Amino acid sequence: MNYRRQPNRPAEMTKPSSTFPPSQEQKTVPSSDGITTAESEERSPPYASSVMRFLESIGISDPKVENYSSKDFYSVLLCNHLKTHTVQRGHVTCFTTVKPPIINFFGGLHGGVVAAIAERVAVATARTVVGEDKDIFLGELAMSYLSSATINAELIVDGSVIRSGRNITLIAIEFKMRTTGELVYSCRATFYNSPIARL
């Protein structure tokens, strides 16, 4: 390895300083038991206002955001956009339409929503071959974002079992445009099967 000295850097390390950087100030705060402790107060960095403007532009200040913190809202959000078409042994097909609540800043289907839908369909597909007497645990979810599905695009979400054994089940999920059949996202999910413990 090359250990040459970098320009404008000291040759040896210096001891840590007890002074605070300009962005932090040290102040003392009395506690309830009378002991005084030191606390640093951070000031906003210069780019904080531009970050806040960006977050506000994508709806972070929307008063309706509070509705999204209700219990199990995640399931309601996904179920409102995912419709089951066929369920057969080893195969599940669903439809979804890209609507404003599930798009990203650029107007396409949000990557997290793609993964969440893939997980839901993968679990449903795995359950067609793995009995209720076994628990299934998602061990891996590998996503490939090949293209983008823009707003109002209709997608076919197709889940199929690649392999199912005593301990492992592999599922393939494909997202295709309903009109053209173009593959836009693909996914591989690995589930671990284990018998439910009986006490």
Side-chain angles (χ1 to χ4, degrees):
M1 295 187 90
N2 190 354
Y3 290 104
R4 286 188 298 166
R5 182 177 168 206
Q6 298 294 322
N8 301 326
R9 291 192 182 176
E12 55 188 54
M13 292 183 63
T14 59
K15 292 184 180 179
S17 172
S18 61
T19 61
F20 288 88
S23 66
Q24 296 180 351
E25 292 178 354
Q26 186 177 19
K27 66 178 184 178
T28 56
V29 179
S31 64
S32 59
D33 56 1
I35 300 172
T36 304
T37 59
E39 183 182 271
S40 68
E41 180 183 309
E42 292 190 28
R43 294 183 188 160
S44 295
Y47 52 82
S49 61
S50 61
V51 171
M52 286 305 295
R53 281 194 306 273
F54 168 75
L55 293 174
E56 288 170 3
S57 73
I58 61 171
I60 196 114
S61 63
D62 187 349
K64 293 180 275 188
V65 168
E66 292 302 317
N67 297 337
Y68 306 146
S69 62
S70 62
K71 183 179 179 185
D72 208 22
F73 175 78
Y74 170 76
S75 296
V76 174
L77 178 67
L78 286 182
C79 291
N80 284 341
H81 295 91
L82 192 63
K83 307 298 178 208
T84 306
H85 181 253
T86 58
V87 178
Q88 300 171 346
R89 180 172 172 80
H91 193 87
V92 172
T93 303
C94 298
F95 295 125
T96 189
T97 303
V98 181
K99 294 293 182 186
I102 57 174
I103 63 171
N104 59 23
F105 180 71
F106 303 103
L109 185 59
H110 193 284
V113 174
V114 174
I117 289 173
E119 179 191 6
R120 290 265 168 146
V121 174
V123 169
T125 306
R127 276 293 171 207
T128 65
V129 293
V130 178
E132 293 292 329
D133 60 328
K134 289 187 176 181
D135 277 334
I136 57 174
F137 302 95
L138 181 62
E140 181 183 10
L141 188 70
M143 299 295 305
S144 295
Y145 298 91
L146 307 171
S147 186
S148 177
T150 56
I151 194 160
N152 293 325
E154 293 183 342
L155 299 173
I156 300 170
V157 185
D158 195 28
S160 56
V161 175
I162 298 171
R163 179 175 158 272
S164 185
R166 192 173 60 137
N167 298 322
I168 293 178
T169 302
L170 301 176
I171 307 293
I173 307 292
E174 292 183 337
F175 291 73
K176 294 180 180 178
M177 299 298 271
R178 192 170 183 179
T179 54
T180 64
E182 175 193 357
L183 181 65
V184 285
Y185 313 110
S186 68
C187 168
R188 293 288 173 111
T190 303
F191 289 96
Y192 298 104
N193 317 330
S194 67
I196 295 174
R198 297 172 198 256
L199 299 175

